[in-house]
């Protein structure tokens, strides 16, 4: 059995890390940056923290900010045209998963124009060339898109989100600066943090998991459960711990895949524009219960990493239950709703379940879930 690990070539971690962007861009001889960010980040001055670094170093750039949460095919195609017009030679993605994913798709299409329709990139795309070099600067502590080989785009016409998996899209440099995350409001911190926890738990229990990714995921679960509450209160320690925890989760799941929490969340994002982290957080405990009997002793280590005491003396049934309870408690403590009543309409269940079943994350789930199983899981949260 051969396992593969793909990670960033270089990554920087810690408060003030964005200063390194100027050094790296200069050292690599980059001429002009195409900065991908979103309108709110521009409005709230988050994007400016990085463009100030570029200004101070006399580095040229152009900002593209027509990116919405759950970014669309159109966001990508408009971005490709704007990149060409800007005559840039590298990308700086400043934002959450939406900005980083859009930058990845733009960078891939610029160097692999045969995929300009975007849709053909779904799944494992056979691109021939690495994307335009990306420097990725996350402003949420959740998706870890700065270190993953994935990006997710929404097909508005077909009402679906599709996942693209391609080592050619990995940012060459990731800059994980917790100060870029400090402006996140409580709700966004909670939702994106629960997305990171979902990555760690799904990545730890996914079919392809192995020792090295287990190591990343367990450490990530520990850091996230220790720091998410603090991050929601905006403590520097909480922000720092979450920045690190979400990144380490990305080092793992990017290389082994996820499961049906993500498949079901993608369907909700596409149909109702539900924020990705909120969808994951609501679904996670229910899917954990469903998957439990296909996870061996893994919930024991999840419970331990989440700080539950006395796990060693528990029966399998007991440690599985406390692991799920610890997730529910963290989710409730940070203010995530417990069900989908406000989100899902009963008449959409068949479409949502079929869409989740066909999602690229579904085959990695520890248990093979049928469309009927998935309908049942959504229903249990209504
Ligand atoms: N590439 C991957 O591996 C991967 C993994 C998981 C999820 N995703 C995708 O990422 C997207 C979600 O990304 P996200 O959860 O990071 O959120 P996002 O990028 O969609 O941003 C959500 C909102 O938060 C705001 N925001 C972001 N950072 C902020 C800050 N520091 N201060 C104030 N406001 C801020 C943005 O302006 C935006 O309005 C989804 O499309 C999801 O499918 C990708
Ligand atoms: Fe996610």
């Amino acid at each position: 059995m051969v396992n593969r690990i793909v990670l960033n070539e270089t990554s920087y971690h810690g408060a003030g890390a964005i200063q390194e962007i100027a050094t790296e861009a200069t050292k690599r001889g980059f001429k002009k940056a195409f900065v991908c960010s979103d309108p709110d980040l521009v409005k709230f001055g988050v994007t400016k923290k990085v463009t100030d670094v570029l200004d101070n170093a006399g580095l040229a750039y152009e900002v593209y900010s027509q990116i919405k949460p759950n970014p669309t095919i159109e966001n990508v195609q408009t971005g490709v045209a704007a990149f060409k017009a800007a005559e840039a030679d590298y990308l700086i993605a400043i934002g959450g998963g939406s900005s980083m994913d859009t930058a990845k798709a733009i960078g891939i299409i610029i160097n692999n124009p045969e995929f300009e329709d975007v849709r053909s990139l779904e799944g494992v795309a056979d691109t021939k060339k690495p994307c335009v070099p990306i420097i990725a600067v996350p402003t949420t502590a959740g998706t870890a898109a700065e270190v993953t080989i994935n990006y997710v785009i929404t097909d508005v016409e077909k009402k679906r989100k599709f996942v693209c998996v391609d080592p050619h899209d990995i940012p060459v440099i990731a800059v994980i600066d917790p100060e870029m995350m400090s402006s996140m409001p409580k709700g966004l911190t909670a939702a994106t943090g629960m997305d990171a926890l979902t990555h760690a738990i799904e990545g730890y229990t996914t079919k392809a998991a192995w020792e090295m990714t287990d190591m990343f995921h367990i450490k990530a679960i520990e850091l996230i459960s220790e720091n998410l509450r603090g991050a929601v209160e905006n403590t520097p320690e909480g922000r720092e711990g979450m920045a690190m925890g979400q990144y380490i989760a990305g080092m793992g799941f990017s290389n082994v895949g996820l499961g049906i929490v993500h498949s079901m969340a993608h369907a909700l994002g596409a149909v109702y524009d539900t924020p990705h982290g909120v969808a994951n957080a609501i679904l996670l405990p229910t899917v954990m219960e469903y998957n439990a009997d296909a996870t061996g002793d893994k919930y024991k280590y999840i419970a331990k990493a989440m700080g539950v005491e006395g796990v060693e003396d528990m029966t399998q049934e007991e440690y599985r239950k406390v692991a799920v309870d610890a997730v529910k408690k963290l989710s409730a403590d940070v203010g995530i709703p417990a069900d989908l009543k406000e989100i899902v309409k009963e008449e959409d269940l068949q479409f949502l379940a079929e869409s989740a079943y066909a999602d690229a994350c579904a085959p990695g789930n520890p248990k093979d879930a049928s469309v009927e199983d998935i309908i049942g899981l959504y229903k249990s949260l209504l």
Side-chain angles (χ1 to χ4, degrees), residues 34-43 47 62-80 82-83 91-107 134 137 139 151-154 156 273:
F34 187 71
V35 172
C36 289
S37 203
D38 73 40
D40 286 347
L41 292 170
V42 171
K43 191 164 80 192
T47 314
E62 198 160 307
V63 176
Y64 172 71
S65 64
Q66 288 174 49
I67 298 173
K68 67 172 278 302
N70 297 322
T72 63
I73 291 175
E74 196 199 341
N75 291 157
V76 174
Q77 288 175 329
T78 318
V80 168
F83 181 96
L91 287 147
I92 302 182
I94 306 167
S98 298
S99 297
M100 291 191 281
D101 284 0
T102 308
K104 287 175 171 182
I106 293 171
I134 302 177
V137 189
T139 64
Y151 51 102
V152 190
I153 304 298
T154 301
V156 176
D273 221 4

Side-chain angles (χ1 to χ4, degrees), residues 7-29:
L7 298 170
N8 300 117
E9 180 194 303
T10 306
S11 63
Y12 292 93
H13 303 266
I18 54 168
Q19 298 302 330
E20 302 299 328
I21 295 170
T23 323
E24 283 284 352
T26 308
K27 199 170 69 188
R28 288 168 193 259

